[in-house]
Amino acid sequence: MDMQITGRVALVTGATQGIGFETARMLAEEGVTLVLSDLSIDDLKPAAEKLPGSPLCVAADVTSQEALHDLVARTIEAHGQLDIVVHTAGITGAKGHPLEVGDEDYEACWNINFMSSVRLARASIPAMRKGQWGRFICISSENAIQPYWEEAVYNVSKAALSAFIKNLSYDEAAHGVLCNTVSPAFVESPMTDGMMEKRAEALGVSVEEAIDSFLDEERPGIVQKRRGKAEEVAATIVFLASSHGSYINGSNVRVDGGAVLSVQN
């Protein structure tokens, strides 16, 4: 399918690996001009070398409003426009009893997972309004809909993110800017690799056995009995970013293998 976005300019955060990198790769295949961002320029350059079109690489700290304004300004300076923003940067945060994790744990996850999206929206959406066409897409999570008891700091940050994007969508569509979230579940990534390595160590089993037991015990809705692939999530993001996604606004699209045991989003 031709996504009809050739010549558009896209900014992708968290672009060095996982969902961010696969989204960038698929957008490049559609003829989109890329700006890649992450914390380290040393990580960005090797990622950019794997993609066509010599993407612009800009290191930026998503906890800084000034850094994100600069990121967008450099995008506009280089390419004259900004049409698509895909914000994948995030952390899992501390785990434990909701009353026993500290204020600093909640604040760290809130600052990166939620407030970074607010900051990036402030910086980027005015530029998309000018072109009367835009897509603002953030990565939420199954946890926003089906929270897990030991992951409170992550749960609340992602639930707030989904609500914020819904709220943002009410007005921005009038300017041609559509705002949506995508919620993956248990996707192959450095994040879930680390989770499974810790589980394997705690149980005294292999990583593969840890994954199998996690699926059986913690994610029974994933009947495929496997982790998702980054490209499976990226394909959904690219569709939302495309001209074919022109009537999807304020939605949370789940790419979770059935992990969420609910009909509702």
Side-chain angles (χ1 to χ4, degrees), residues 85-225:
V85 174
V86 181
H87 185 37
T88 77
I91 61 171
T92 56
K95 295 185 180 181
H97 191 288
L99 300 182
E100 294 175 0
V101 291
D103 286 8
E104 66 279 7
D105 297 317
Y106 281 99
E107 289 165 2
C109 211
W110 182 263
N111 195 20
I112 294 175
N113 290 353
F114 175 69
M115 282 305 302
S116 68
S117 301
V118 177
R119 297 182 192 105
L120 187 56
R122 287 175 183 146
S124 63
I125 284 183
M128 291 189 279
R129 284 177 184 164
K130 288 181 180 179
Q132 288 292 296
W133 195 101
R135 305 286 189 265
F136 189 81
I137 302 164
C138 293
I139 298 297
S140 186
S141 171
E142 59 169 325
N143 292 54
I145 307 148
Q146 182 168 276
Y148 298 99
W149 78 269
E150 77 282 11
E151 300 176 17
V153 298
Y154 186 73
N155 297 338
V156 297
S157 69
K158 290 299 188 177
L161 170 59
S162 295
F164 169 70
I165 295 301
K166 180 65 175 178
N167 195 253
L168 194 62
S169 72
Y170 293 139
D171 184 64
E172 296 308 324
H175 304 285
V177 181
L178 307 182
C179 305
N180 295 287
T181 53
V182 173
S183 288
F186 202 43
V187 171
E188 292 179 6
S189 69
M191 185 183 293
T192 60
D193 286 346
M195 289 170 55
M196 292 302 103
E197 287 164 5
K198 289 181 181 178
R199 181 181 179 88
E201 183 177 354
L203 297 177
V205 299
S206 69
V207 172
E208 291 73 19
E209 290 171 321
I211 292 171
D212 290 341
S213 66
F214 182 83
L215 286 164
D216 288 339
E217 297 167 16
E218 306 290 343
R219 300 294 188 273
I222 303 179
V223 297
Q224 298 97 319
K225 298 301 177 187

Side-chain angles (χ1 to χ4, degrees), residues 9-15 34-39 41 44 56-82 84-89 116 119-121 123-124 127 136:
V9 176
L11 166 61
V12 182
T13 70
L34 293 175
V35 178
L36 309 181
S37 185
D38 217 311
L39 267 175
I41 196 70
L44 281 164
L56 174 65
C57 295
V58 182
D61 180 355
V62 297
T63 67
S64 165
Q65 184 70 72
E66 182 180 358
L68 294 179
H69 277 305
D70 179 67
L71 172 60
V72 171
R74 291 181 63 179
T75 299
I76 300 298
E77 181 182 4
H79 301 300
Q81 65 191 72
L82 175 60
I84 298 165
V85 174
V86 181
H87 185 37
T88 77
S116 68
R119 297 182 192 105
L120 187 56
S124 63
F136 189 81

